Amino acid sequence: MLMTLIQKEIMHHVLSVRFVALLVMCVLLIPLTLSINYRRYNQNLVDYQESVKRTQAEAKENPPNAQDPNVEVSKFFLKPTPLSVFANGLEEALPAYLGMTRNGVRQGSTGLGQAALSYALGNLDFLFIVGTVFSLLALLFTFDAVAGEREAGTLRINLSNSLPRDVFLWSKLIGGYAVFVIPFLVSFLIGLLLLVWQGFPLGEFNIALPVLVLAAISLLYIAVFFAIGVFISTYLDNSKTALIIAFTFWVFAVLIAPRGAFVIAKLVAPTRTEQSVYTEKTVLRNNLMKDKEDKIGKKVAGTFGTTLILNDPKTQERLGEIRKPIEEEFRVNFRNQTEKIDRNYQREKDRQEQVGEMLSRIAPTSSLVYCVMNLTQTGKLKRDLYFQTGERYYSQLDGAYFSEISDDTLAQMLQLANRGNPDAKSEKNKITPPPTLTEPALSETLRRSASDVFLLCLFALVFTTVAFLKFFRSDI
């Protein structure tokens, strides 16, 4: 009996205008979007490689002079990931590079500066298609599953026979879902074949497994909205009212709740700007530098008086002994206070983000977005790894290069006195080359995504259960 009803439901949907719209969306949007985004990825990869080569060539021709604390002596570039063809995520919002200065890590420009208008209109990628387009189509497939039958009077006729209510409702869910996912999966497969033909490395395990999980998560998300559509349909007698309620729910769950959560988070937990933090550290350095120069000046005046011969090796050795403890004190104070500033700022940002994430997860679309961005290495996990690697690189430079540079007046005088000395070490040889950004481990990616997968399963289970309970108790 169940199979007969499922076949009937499938034929009902296949012969409807909604199925034609779904078919057109699947065949055109998914393969075309994946192909276009892969070309965009290739262009971003070329831009990344050219930027790295240009920076290396400039460093060889003109070694950076780190006497200026704002000069970027090295740049750590963000390499684009192949999985960004499925979800652009935070990739364009992240800085193209992290510049290493004596005042700290300075962020380079983002891709948004070159395409601000297109970013305002939104990204057309696989995540957008599933999260926005297919969620709406899933509701359009199910809003009249029960309400339409009740309005037409066929529900009373069907249930007057020996037809269990659970079998009837399962046929609506399974039949509609089967009609929906088959074109989706076929078009997704076509899109993958098109990507492979263009050179996409789908054969690699760390690419193939996330893509497989991505397809499964998409099917689960569609199932959530099928359950929501049936839930709405069981509570209403009129299909037009059900359509209005379904569309209203979609607007709230897909368009308003994910964005509104972070608007509320900014009001509840405000933060400072990146520029204000960088300015605060610059002011701190200037103040500590002034104190350091005063201490060195007093110590030199008390030791040498008015006679100071900089070309004398003994004098230079004695000056080094005077400067060393004061310089070390300056470095320790500056490092401790800047670390405190960074910790406070990071704490503010983390709190705001946690509030926004927590509030946004009331909608299933947010769980889909977070999960897909982690799987495609364009989300929070990749962002945190990028900045953490940049901080570690800065710590290496600070210990091997920045710690030997001083910009007080006496240090500049000694540098001029030693200019042209063949025994002096080359500045550029002290700069550690930028590290390679490693991709997040697949196990860590799946672990981070587990909570969002659980929430999607919970949404599907809750809405399905409530729909069945309501249908069992309703009068036909």
Side-chain angles (χ1 to χ4, degrees):
M1 182 182 294
L2 177 62
M3 290 304 300
T4 302
L5 290 174
I6 290 175
Q7 292 174 4
K8 176 185 175 184
E9 190 69 20
I10 290 174
M11 290 304 300
H12 169 71
H13 284 296
V14 168
L15 297 176
S16 66
V17 178
R18 286 174 286 191
F19 180 75
V20 176
L22 171 67
L23 201 58
V24 171
M25 291 287 185
C26 290
V27 172
L28 292 182
L29 279 182
I30 295 180
L32 184 62
T33 300
L34 292 178
S35 177
I36 292 175
N37 284 336
Y38 185 64
R39 293 182 182 179
R40 176 185 55 80
Y41 158 74
N42 284 329
Q43 183 59 51
N44 290 341
L45 184 61
V46 170
D47 293 342
Y48 160 78
Q49 293 169 344
E50 290 180 351
S51 298
V52 172
K53 290 180 182 178
R54 184 171 62 251
T55 302
Q56 292 174 346
E58 291 174 354
K60 288 181 180 179
E61 293 177 4
N62 300 306
N65 178 17
Q67 286 296 327
D68 184 352
N70 293 310
V71 167
E72 297 172 346
V73 302
S74 183
K75 294 179 180 180
F76 173 46
F77 286 91
L78 175 65
K79 184 178 180 179
T81 174
L83 288 169
S84 62
V85 301
F86 297 96
N88 189 54
L90 301 176
E91 194 164 78
E92 287 188 359
L94 291 175
Y97 68 88
L98 300 177
M100 305 297 145
T101 73
R102 290 173 59 203
N103 273 343
V105 180
R106 186 162 61 188
Q107 298 183 8
S109 60
T110 67
L112 303 183
Q114 302 174 354
L117 185 59
S118 62
Y119 181 79
L121 296 175
N123 292 308
L124 182 60
D125 52 20
F126 181 78
L127 176 58
F128 172 82
I129 294 173
V130 174
T132 304
V133 178
F134 285 168
S135 60
L136 178 59
L137 289 175
L139 290 178
L140 293 178
F141 262 66
T142 54
F143 77 93
D144 60 348
V146 179
E149 297 262 8
R150 183 184 285 114
E151 189 178 21
T154 54
L155 180 61
R156 182 185 298 271
I157 297 173
N158 288 330
L159 295 183
S160 63
N161 300 316
S162 58
L163 175 63
R165 294 193 179 194
D166 59 334
V167 174
F168 174 81
L169 205 54
W170 276 123
S171 68
K172 292 290 182 181
L173 276 169
I174 298 174
Y177 188 72
V179 170
F180 199 97
V181 300
I182 290 176
F184 169 76
L185 290 175
V186 170
S187 60
F188 184 62
L189 180 59
I190 294 173
L192 292 180
L193 293 175
L194 186 60
L195 286 179
V196 172
W197 178 71
Q198 290 178 311
F200 184 75
L202 188 61
E204 298 178 9
F205 178 76
N206 61 336
I207 298 290
L209 185 58
V211 171
L212 183 62
V213 178
L214 175 63
I217 295 299
S218 302
L219 295 177
L220 176 58
Y221 177 75
I222 292 171
V224 170
F225 275 85
F226 260 81
I228 292 172
V230 172
F231 162 76
I232 293 172
S233 187
T234 56
Y235 270 81
L236 299 170
D237 298 332
N238 186 279
S239 58
K240 292 182 180 179
T241 306
L243 176 60
I244 294 173
I245 297 298
F247 184 73
T248 304
F249 181 89
W250 176 83
V251 170
F252 174 79
V254 176
L255 302 181
I256 296 178
R259 295 163 177 81
F262 286 92
V263 174
I264 296 174
K266 289 180 180 179
L267 299 175
V268 174
T271 65
R272 293 169 289 171
T273 62
E274 291 273 359
Q275 186 59 41
S276 66
V277 173
Y278 189 84
T279 303
E280 184 178 354
K281 288 193 285 188
T282 303
V283 172
L284 173 64
R285 171 180 283 278
N286 294 337
N287 292 336
L288 292 177
M289 275 294 305
K290 185 176 181 301
D291 293 339
K292 184 180 74 169
E293 288 196 356
D294 291 343
K295 290 181 180 179
I296 292 176
K298 291 178 181 178
K299 198 84 179 216
V300 170
T303 304
F304 295 95
T306 56
T307 25
L308 184 63
I309 305 174
L310 292 175
N311 292 330
D312 184 12
K314 292 184 178 179
T315 302
Q316 292 185 6
E317 183 179 355
R318 181 59 181 151
L319 287 174
E321 294 175 355
I322 292 173
R323 288 183 61 257
K324 188 174 181 180
I326 301 175
E327 177 72 23
E328 183 63 24
E329 180 186 1
F330 163 78
R331 287 189 64 252
V332 171
N333 288 338
F334 180 71
R335 184 178 66 246
N336 291 340
Q337 295 190 47
T338 52
E339 286 178 354
K340 182 179 179 181
I341 292 172
D342 289 335
R343 282 196 305 269
N344 291 336
Y345 178 55
Q346 190 62 42
R347 193 180 300 115
E348 292 175 5
K349 292 198 301 182
D350 290 344
R351 181 169 177 266
Q352 184 184 92
E353 190 170 77
Q354 288 169 3
V355 172
E357 274 191 271
M358 180 182 64
L359 294 177
S360 67
R361 281 191 167 98
I362 64 172
T365 302
S366 300
S367 294
L368 172 76
V369 171
Y370 299 146
C371 187
V372 170
M373 287 198 304
N374 281 334
L375 288 171
T376 57
Q377 301 169 3
T378 59
K380 182 179 176 181
L381 185 60
K382 178 67 172 287
R383 180 203 64 188
D384 293 345
L385 185 62
Y386 176 46
F387 286 120
Q388 289 168 6
T389 306
E391 291 294 339
R392 286 196 296 270
Y393 178 46
Y394 175 78
S395 298
Q396 293 177 358
L397 286 178
D398 187 47
Y401 181 65
F402 291 141
S403 61
E404 300 181 9
I405 298 173
S406 180
D407 48 8
D408 57 79
T409 305
L410 181 58
Q412 293 176 7
M413 293 170 63
L414 289 172
Q415 188 181 32
L416 289 173
N418 289 324
R419 182 170 292 177
N421 185 356
D423 296 329
K425 294 181 180 180
S426 175
E427 290 284 318
K428 65 180 181 180
N429 293 332
K430 300 178 184 178
I431 301 177
T432 308
T436 302
L437 181 62
T438 57
E439 299 294 345
L442 190 57
S443 58
E444 179 65 14
T445 300
L446 296 176
R447 187 187 68 80
R448 288 283 193 100
S449 304
S451 59
D452 292 306
V453 174
F454 172 76
L455 281 176
L456 289 175
C457 293
L458 185 63
F459 277 119
L461 179 62
V462 168
F463 281 108
T464 302
T465 302
V466 175
F468 272 85
L469 291 176
K470 172 60 179 176
F471 189 59
F472 287 154
R473 298 179 59 184
S474 61
D475 296 328
I476 306 302

